[in-house]
Amino acid sequence: MSTAEAPFGLLAELTHRCPLQCGYCSNPVELVRRDAELTTEQWRVVFDQARSLGVLQIHLSGGEPLLRPDLPELVTHANSLGCYVNLVTSGVGLSRDRLRDLAERGADHVQLSLQDATKAGNDRIAGIKAFDRKVEAATFIRDEGLPLTVNTVLHRQNLDNVAGIIAMAEEMGAERLELANTQYYGWALRNRAVLLPTREQLAAADPVVAAAQERLRGRMEIVYVIADYHEAHPKPCMYGWGARQLTVAPNGDVLPCPAATVITSLEIENVRYSSLHDIWYHSASFNAFRGFEWMRGPCRSCPRKEIDFGGCRCQAFQLTGDAAATDPVCSLSPDRSTVDLILATEMTPVDVPEMAMRKMR
């Protein structure tokens, strides 16, 4: 049996349907269609099993969870299990009455996406006119007294506006702001040539974020996720494979991380056919990269292995074809030249393609 500790978080991707068309989305390019989604009762069973497994936080995400008509029932059930319930939303479709109902049923927190600091920039990146509805949703959340996190994915199209994004999050009344440089999976990988920031952009943004973190300390927490293609070492992805959290996709696939479907050699199990307990502790997919025994050189002898856990397995697979390879972002990786070549070619502002907007096929 695996020696893994129990997870404390479940990311429940209720649907891949979404009114936004963001080209940086980490959902798979082949999105799960509505007729393949888990039913209300199946999601209840998932929540029951997650709580029995030890999960304390349930993050209701997507796509856009507000497109599930059974969202109020699912919030009620998650709350009845004693879980902290977080709604991850675009804000589109979040009326005052809907929010009040969800809060009364047990929603504890709202995470609201923001694509840019201005109406024009936000709506261009989102692919629809959404900015005004996000501002309105933030007002409803604040009036309802729920904690608010604003999340902005940073990339070449908005990184120059990071000061404005911080100011917008302040105006919205956010207790927490997540500034996450794009991770290149799914739609984001497809649009990498349009999204990769330049070193100059990052050099300008870093001190702006640092100054805001200091100025807003105690009022608004700012979490800054680095652009790891530009770094010498990878980030501690998920704090280790299958270590703290699990994801259930709209069709019931159970994933060690939200992007794990990109590893085509990984045998993914589904909650329709196996329990979360068995998948978490016994499945080949969750045990594939736990601990350190799977590592090869240079990771296995590197003192950083207990800091970054060898980096991202999904990124390693996408860039090398081998999920057990050292994350090519690492300066010690024999494949670092792959990342350097990407930076040299895809950041050249010549013949930059149009962004492929996220849409159901």
Side-chain angles (χ1 to χ4, degrees), residues 143-340:
D143 291 349
E144 197 60 37
L146 288 176
L148 169 64
T149 291
V150 169
N151 175 271
T152 298
V153 177
L154 298 175
H155 43 76
R156 196 189 315 175
Q157 307 297 317
N158 65 5
L159 191 57
D160 295 334
N161 304 329
V162 69
I165 292 168
I166 294 168
M168 192 69 222
E170 285 185 80
E171 186 177 328
M172 286 178 161
E175 283 91 354
R176 177 182 170 95
L177 170 62
E178 296 180 357
L179 298 170
N181 276 278
T182 304
Q183 308 300 302
Y184 297 101
Y185 318 113
W187 291 87
L189 180 63
R190 183 172 179 176
N191 287 306
R192 186 175 60 194
V194 191
L195 298 171
L196 266 174
T198 66
R199 292 190 187 279
E200 292 75 19
Q201 283 182 304
L202 292 166
D206 288 353
V208 172
V209 174
Q213 287 173 322
E214 182 62 31
R215 176 175 62 84
L216 294 168
R217 193 179 306 278
R219 286 195 288 143
M220 183 173 77
E221 179 187 7
I222 300 178
V223 178
Y224 188 46
V225 180
I226 61 174
D228 60 356
Y229 272 44
H230 292 272
E231 298 294 321
H233 302 290
K235 62 187 180 302
C237 188
M238 302 294 294
Y239 296 96
W241 182 269
R244 298 186 177 185
Q245 183 165 294
L246 68 161
T247 296
V248 177
N251 64 348
D253 284 348
V254 186
L255 309 172
C257 83
T261 55
V262 307
I263 305 177
T264 55
S265 58
L266 199 67
E267 185 177 344
I268 302 295
E269 298 204 36
N270 192 287
V271 77
R272 300 175 195 258
Y273 313 112
S274 301
S275 71
L276 285 187
H277 182 280
D278 284 348
I279 295 171
W280 178 261
Y281 286 111
H282 302 301
S283 70
S285 58
F286 272 77
N287 284 301
F289 306 111
R290 280 176 169 154
F292 306 112
E293 292 302 311
W294 60 271
M295 292 181 176
R296 303 192 290 260
C299 291
R300 196 160 188 174
S301 60
C302 180
R304 288 189 58 86
K305 69 183 181 183
E306 296 186 20
I307 300 172
D308 59 32
F309 310 103
C312 178
R313 299 301 89 223
C314 302
Q315 191 159 259
F317 182 83
Q318 288 187 142
L319 295 178
T320 72
D322 181 1
T326 299
D327 189 335
V329 160
C330 183
S331 58
L332 301 176
S333 168
D335 299 299
R336 173 66 206 194
S337 60
T338 302
V339 175
D340 292 334

Side-chain angles (χ1 to χ4, degrees), residues 136 149 361:
E136 187 177 52
T149 291
R361 294 184 183 179

Side-chain angles (χ1 to χ4, degrees), residues 34 57 66 86 88 106 127 209 230 289 311 343 351 356 359:
R34 182 173 185 168
Q57 300 176 357
L66 290 169
N86 177 32
V88 184
V209 174
H230 292 272
F289 306 111
L343 292 174
D351 298 327
K359 294 181 180 179

Side-chain angles (χ1 to χ4, degrees), residues 33 49 292:
R33 303 192 69 83
Q49 292 185 7
F292 306 112

